[in-house]
Amino acid sequence: MYNVIIIGSGPAGLTAAIYAARANLKPLVISGMERGGQVTLTNDLENFPGFPDGIGGFEIYDLFEKQAVKFGAELVYDVVTEVDLKAEIKVVKTAEQIYQAKSVIIATGSNPNRLGIPGEDAFIGKGVSYCATCDGFFFNGKHVAVIGGGNSALDEGLFLTRYADKVTIIHRRDKLRADAILQERAQKNEKVVFIMDTVVSEIAGDNSVHTLKLKNVKDHHEFDYKVDGVFIFIGHSPNVSLVKNQLDLDEQNYIRTDRRTHTNLQGVFACGDVQDSIYRQAITAAGSGCQAAIEAEKFIAEFEGRKYPGK
Ligand code: NAP
């Protein structure tokens, strides 16, 4: 029986693990399919305090993991298939194991949204990508399109200029959502061009992507646009499939928590992007992971009839 099982190994889950381990709770972290979560897809994290020169996404994940293990967290590289969170003793199942715990911290993060247009699924890995850090290298000297107008689209679009000769950012409105600093950098970059007020209706190709079918939403003009690849950055959806029938979700499907990371079930806490539709930053995820671990520690003290120190 574990004191606390943490599901997810992004900044939220691993910060929860560091705090829970330092509180001597010997937490178990079940990493999920993508160890480190979305932060590992970021090439250069420039806004995480303490790293004035930036730090690679995978590098910071590695540091989080080392720090958690150093204080006694146990890490398992596995995928949770089922949970039962309603009873006093929580049950967490993977394909091969059944774990029990007094408390559970859900830190399953979110995943990139899809456009849902013809050709998108068929060309994943053949020109369609959701990760510039992973796939940018394959587009050396090529022309790529980036779909979206938020921080991810511009950040990743700028990153792609390291490889591609031309990066076309295609956005459905006439105004970008991204922060001013990123807009300025993109506008100054000679490799970046913008197509505004435009949506993609189809991704076409043969062995790999060669054409996007575009439509201007104002004059309804439709045209073909030649590209070698397309990177899609149109927001994220929280990973709630494991818990959606047990935990309350908000209107946007994020886990509903109070300001102390409590869910509707006793002993179940949620942190990071799976419960945050607003900030979705590595640092806010880490902060909420800390909160969840402290709340779990208090809960376990009560569970065992002890008084939580400082309560
Ligand atoms: P986002 O801010 O939600 O932006 C999504 C973009 O995709 C928007 O421009 C949106 O258009 C567009 N979009 C959504 N659905 C679409 C569809 N079906 N077809 C075409 N376009 C569509 O998501 P994000 O850029 O992934 O950023 C997520 C969070 O991470 C934000 O809080 C962001 O600040 C943060 N982030 C920060 C950094 C950084 O600080 N450097 C880097 C990356 C991400 P509309 O504008 O018309 O809605």
Side-chain angles (χ1 to χ4, degrees):
M1 162 93 77
Y2 286 90
N3 288 308
V4 53
I5 292 178
I6 298 164
I7 307 177
S9 57
L14 289 177
T15 304
I18 292 166
Y19 274 78
R22 291 192 80 247
N24 245 347
L25 295 178
K26 300 190 175 16
L28 171 71
V29 181
I30 306 180
S31 71
M33 192 108 71
E34 287 155 21
R35 284 164 61 186
Q38 288 190 77
V39 77
T40 60
L41 305 181
T42 307
N43 181 61
D44 197 7
L45 200 58
E46 284 186 334
N47 50 13
F48 202 93
F51 300 95
D53 300 322
I55 181 163
F58 201 84
E59 223 180 318
I60 201 167
Y61 155 69
D62 206 38
L63 294 174
F64 288 151
E65 192 185 282
K66 279 196 181 109
Q67 201 169 346
V69 170
K70 174 181 149 187
F71 290 117
E74 180 183 341
L75 257 85
V76 169
Y77 304 116
D78 206 347
V79 177
V80 175
T81 52
E82 205 184 319
V83 291
D84 185 356
L85 303 173
K86 289 191 173 160
E88 192 174 54
I89 302 302
K90 320 294 177 196
V91 179
V92 175
K93 295 183 184 170
T94 64
E96 312 245 312
Q97 294 286 338
I98 299 177
Y99 300 98
Q100 291 189 324
K102 296 169 195 162
S103 71
V104 172
I105 295 177
I106 311 289
T108 46
S110 62
N111 258 336
N113 288 339
R114 298 205 172 174
L115 283 167
I117 55 171
E120 184 177 15
D121 288 350
F123 287 107
I124 288 176
K126 297 177 191 165
V128 171
S129 173
Y130 303 85
C131 175
T133 312
C134 320
D135 299 326
F137 178 78
F138 300 113
F139 296 91
N140 226 346
K142 303 264 172 87
H143 175 201
V144 295
V146 166
I147 315 300
N151 278 334
S152 298
L154 267 66
D155 223 4
E156 306 292 324
L158 283 164
F159 172 73
L160 286 167
T161 61
R162 295 187 190 186
Y163 306 102
D165 276 356
K166 183 176 172 186
V167 175
T168 302
I169 295 176
I170 300 171
H171 182 39
R172 64 182 176 181
R173 286 190 297 138
D174 60 359
K175 283 196 182 59
L176 295 166
R177 182 180 291 276
D179 293 348
I181 184 168
L182 285 173
Q183 292 196 33
E184 200 181 308
R185 278 189 210 164
Q187 264 138 11
K188 278 191 185 151
N189 192 309
E190 287 177 353
K191 287 185 172 180
V192 177
V193 296
F194 290 90
I195 299 181
M196 306 298 277
D197 292 316
T198 298
V199 293
V200 191
S201 57
E202 188 180 338
I203 300 170
D206 34 48
N207 291 331
S208 61
V209 170
H210 58 51
T211 305
L212 299 181
K213 300 213 175 279
L214 303 183
K215 183 179 178 184
N216 183 294
V217 293
K218 286 196 171 147
D219 63 15
H220 305 295
H221 168 60
E222 294 187 49
F223 56 105
D224 285 355
Y225 195 66
K226 295 276 172 216
V227 293
D228 301 300
V230 53
F231 287 78
I232 298 164
F233 300 111
I234 58 164
H236 297 86
S237 299
N239 294 322
V240 291
S241 56
L242 271 180
V243 298
K244 67 180 179 206
N245 296 326
Q246 298 176 56
L247 297 184
D248 286 351
L249 306 181
D250 68 13
E251 313 66 45
Q252 293 173 272
N253 261 350
Y254 287 78
I255 296 176
R256 202 184 284 284
T257 53
D258 66 8
R259 54 192 289 266
R260 295 169 148 211
T261 74
H262 293 220
T263 67
N264 56 304
L265 294 180
Q266 274 220 332
V268 182
F269 308 88
C271 54
D273 285 13
V274 74
Q275 52 85 58
D276 172 20
S277 62
I278 301 170
Y279 302 107
R280 294 178 290 180
Q281 302 294 304
I283 186 67
T284 48
S288 69
C290 154
Q291 289 176 292
I294 292 173
E295 292 303 318
E297 187 186 357
K298 286 185 199 172
F299 172 80
I300 289 160
E302 274 165 19
F303 185 99
E304 291 173 346
R306 287 183 285 117
K307 206 167 153 33
Y308 174 75
K311 191 175 166 187

